[in-house]
Amino acid sequence: MIQILILQFLLVGAAGTQEETAELIGRDMCLACHEVTNGFLSSTHGDAECEGCHGPGSLHMDSGGDTPPTFEGKAPNWVSDQCRSCHGKAEDSLSLFRQGPHSRNQVSCIECHQIHPVKANFGLLKEGPVELCTSCHHSVEAAFRKPFHHPVLEGGMTCLECHNPHSDPEQSFSRLEVFPKNGCVSCHADKRGPFVFEHASSRVNGCMACHQPHGSFNSKLLVRNEVHQLCLECHSMTPNIATAQPPAIHDLRSPRYRNCTTCHREIHGSNVSPAFFR
Ligand code: HEC
Ligand code: HEC
Ligand code: HEC
Ligand code: HEC
Ligand code: HEC
Ligand code: HEC
Ligand code: HEC
Ligand code: HEC
Ligand code: HEC
Ligand code: HEC
């Protein structure tokens, strides 16, 4: 038997892969041997051809059950391409899936989605969206446990408000492209601008020039413990720095001047005050 298989493999190997010799048999044949339960047949994919996902099954059928067209041991990209043969034709997030960090790191569709048995989660997800994401991203979960954080673990929002799990030119998850202008201000609309007097700080890194997105030990999710540390990183008191220096009236030894935003209150931008006083 093994010898026959090897011979077959060698013969086929010249023409292509062994997989090509398997042919489609149609779902009725699959269902003749397999009792498919757990709600699958009445689910979204219930009418789909089994082989659309599993791949052709003639070798499996002819051998009476050997070489099952299972997903176990399959290359992640093979799996994703099976799914994308129906999904991801349009210019949507799935058409770009292979360029995203999940695909590039061997995370396929079925790490997140379960087809059958069908689970009750929306989007055929294996788990609720937050649990799903934190099951792999432990350090991100830890960030949401810091004293100041977005209310994700409390159920106030999910990772999906800020990240697209697939990939998307408009709303990709990569760090800089998106969040500065699209992601954050969709909820914090008062920070959207345009302002007559913009705080140019956000030009490069967006909101993340000053904030951490998930959680922080610093209040207001700031990247620095104290506000003056944050400001002085760009507005250095030493000359030769491109950004404006606080004028001499600023006595930084005095606590009064250290809390910069007591005076420069509209730190995100202002329509009336070039120094963001109001
Ligand atoms: C002639 C009967 C027969 C046909 C037709 C058939 N199978 Fe199977 N299949 C089996 C048998 C027998 C097994 C091994 C049973 C087991 O291990 O549970 C099996 C195993 C499998 C497995 C692995 C199950 C597991 O638990 O790992 C998958 C997946 C599978 N078949 C899918 C299909 C698909 C898809 C089709 C149609 C393209 C199909 N089968 C057609 C008999 C058949
Ligand atoms: C939309 C894609 C898709 C379709 C359509 C599909 N399957 Fe599956 N099937 C999967 C995936 C993925 C798995 C692996 C388990 C999982 O992750 O959900 C699987 C697992 C299985 C298994 C292994 C046992 C199990 O439940 O884990 C069998 C047997 C099976 N499918 C048979 C079938 C048959 C028969 C059909 C057609 C009636 C079918 N599948 C249609 C994607 C699909
Ligand atoms: C034979 C075509 C086909 C294949 C192959 C296929 N799907 Fe689908 N899928 C559909 C159709 C049709 C729908 C329903 C319409 C839609 O949402 O696009 C759907 C819907 C879905 C949904 C949304 C379900 C919901 O309830 O919101 C998910 C998630 C999904 N598919 C995942 C997958 C994954 C993962 C694979 C690969 C294992 C896969 N699909 C393979 C045809 C397919
Ligand atoms: C990292 C986890 C993850 C991976 C990997 C993943 N998905 Fe999803 N998918 C999700 C989540 C979460 C949602 C729900 C998104 C929402 O509703 O905002 C979703 C939604 C969907 C939907 C329904 C809504 C839509 O966007 O059309 C389809 C279809 C789908 N996924 C198919 C796929 C396919 C096909 C692959 C592989 C090419 C894949 N997914 C890979 C997590 C994932
Ligand atoms: C099966 C494990 C797994 C699951 C589930 C998963 N991810 Fe990932 N994710 C990874 C891996 C592996 C990478 C690439 C390595 C890294 O950056 O950690 C990654 C990368 C990312 C990145 C890009 C990181 C960067 O540095 O650019 C984001 C954002 C992300 N995932 C968000 C999510 C979200 C949101 C979910 C839930 C919908 C999710 N992930 C579910 C494994 C997973
Ligand atoms: C409020 C919006 C927001 C929420 C909610 C959010 N993220 Fe993020 N996430 C971001 C932004 C913005 C970045 C880019 C950070 C940067 O560039 O410094 C990021 C970066 C990441 C990264 C890569 C860098 C890192 O910290 O590892 C991963 C992975 C990630 N997020 C996963 C998740 C997961 C998982 C969840 C849900 C548990 C989640 N995010 C919830 C906005 C968010
Ligand atoms: C889905 C809506 C949503 C998105 C998107 C969002 N936030 Fe938030 N943000 C909230 C909510 C809700 C709170 C908690 C408000 C509260 O506790 O009173 C919050 C709190 C904050 C706080 C702390 C406020 C305080 O008083 O402590 C900061 C700073 C913040 N967000 C910045 C950001 C940044 C930066 C982004 C983009 C990476 C972002 N947010 C994206 C909803 C959102
Ligand atoms: C130059 C640094 C800086 C940038 C860039 C920045 N912030 Fe802030 N943000 C701050 C400081 C400092 C505070 C705390 C103000 C205080 O304590 O009076 C704050 C407070 C906040 C708060 C909570 C208090 C409030 O006013 O609602 C939110 C929400 C917020 N920022 C969102 C954003 C968003 C969204 C962006 C991007 C559009 C952004 N920030 C960009 C420095 C910045
Ligand atoms: C990431 C760098 C960065 C950070 C952090 C930052 N700024 Fe700025 N800020 C700039 C840049 C760039 C400009 C515009 C160019 C300039 O300074 O002339 C600017 C402009 C200003 C102006 C207006 C100056 C003028 O042009 O009249 C004030 C006032 C100011 N920042 C105060 C602050 C305060 C207070 C903080 C701390 C809450 C802060 N900045 C944090 C980069 C930054
Ligand atoms: C007690 C109120 C007060 C505090 C606190 C304060 N400033 Fe100012 N700041 C001023 C005044 C007044 C001006 C002069 C504005 C003008 O010329 O229109 C100024 C101007 C500036 C300018 C230059 C604006 C320009 O047009 O060139 C920068 C930069 C600046 N401050 C940064 C800071 C930083 C950083 C801190 C915290 C370390 C801080 N300020 C704390 C009141 C304050």
Side-chain angles (χ1 to χ4, degrees):
M1 176 63 179
I2 289 174
Q3 277 151 342
I4 295 173
L5 275 179
I6 290 174
L7 183 60
Q8 193 179 26
F9 180 77
L10 289 175
L11 287 173
V12 173
T17 64
Q18 184 175 7
E19 198 132 41
E20 280 166 36
T21 61
E23 283 160 20
L24 299 176
I25 58 173
R27 63 186 247 124
D28 290 347
M29 300 302 276
C30 309
L31 287 170
C33 292
H34 288 279
E35 195 186 354
V36 177
T37 51
N38 294 309
F40 175 71
L41 292 180
S42 55
S43 76
T44 317
H45 293 108
D47 294 334
E49 279 297 339
C50 318
E51 292 161 295
C53 292
H54 284 273
S58 64
L59 293 179
H60 171 60
M61 178 174 71
D62 295 347
S63 65
D66 283 353
T67 62
T70 164
F71 285 83
E72 263 162 53
K74 287 288 190 337
N77 282 342
W78 181 87
V79 175
S80 296
D81 286 348
Q82 290 298 101
C83 307
R84 286 176 352 111
S85 67
C86 290
H87 296 284
K89 292 220 165 86
E91 285 295 309
D92 64 8
S93 65
L94 288 165
S95 69
L96 297 169
F97 180 76
R98 286 284 294 270
Q99 295 159 36
H102 282 134
S103 181
R104 284 190 276 109
N105 288 279
Q106 316 304 318
V107 178
S108 80
C109 317
I110 59 174
E111 297 284 350
C112 296
H113 293 288
Q114 178 154 319
I115 305 300
H116 50 134
V118 174
K119 290 216 175 175
N121 300 318
F122 86 103
L124 298 177
L125 296 183
K126 284 187 163 175
E127 295 178 79
V130 175
E131 296 76 15
L132 173 69
C133 308
T134 54
S135 71
C136 290
H137 292 288
H138 302 292
S139 65
V140 176
E141 177 175 7
F144 282 110
R145 296 198 190 282
K146 290 179 180 173
F148 302 95
H149 54 262
H150 273 113
V152 167
L153 301 180
E154 292 84 350
M157 60 201 281
T158 72
C159 317
L160 304 176
E161 252 99 34
C162 296
H163 295 287
N164 184 325
H166 302 146
S167 274
D168 183 327
E170 296 292 315
Q171 234 198 327
S172 108
F173 27 26
S174 72
R175 299 157 183 233
L176 304 178
E177 293 152 71
V178 196
F179 293 104
K181 290 295 171 199
N182 303 333
C184 306
V185 298
S186 65
C187 293
H188 301 290
D190 57 322
K191 312 286 188 289
R192 182 192 299 272
F195 300 105
V196 176
F197 303 104
E198 295 271 356
H199 195 173
S201 56
S202 58
R203 243 174 242 154
V204 180
N205 214 356
C207 313
M208 262 51 75
C210 301
H211 294 288
Q212 286 176 334
H214 300 147
S216 174
F217 289 110
N218 313 318
S219 76
K220 313 288 182 194
L221 300 176
L222 291 179
V223 295
R224 293 288 170 269
N225 192 295
E226 303 203 39
V227 168
H228 67 91
Q229 295 170 335
L230 171 67
C231 311
L232 294 176
E233 230 160 66
C234 293
H235 299 285
S236 165
M237 295 299 273
T238 46
N240 303 323
I241 291 263
T243 35
Q245 293 161 34
I249 52 156
H250 293 64
D251 176 3
L252 293 184
R253 286 161 307 178
S254 141
R256 177 165 183 258
Y257 274 99
R258 290 193 155 207
N259 203 350
C260 315
T261 48
T262 51
C263 297
H264 302 282
R265 276 166 56 183
E266 294 302 321
I267 198 63
H268 301 96
S270 167
N271 288 326
V272 285
S273 162
F276 315 133
F277 292 143
R278 56 207 166 85

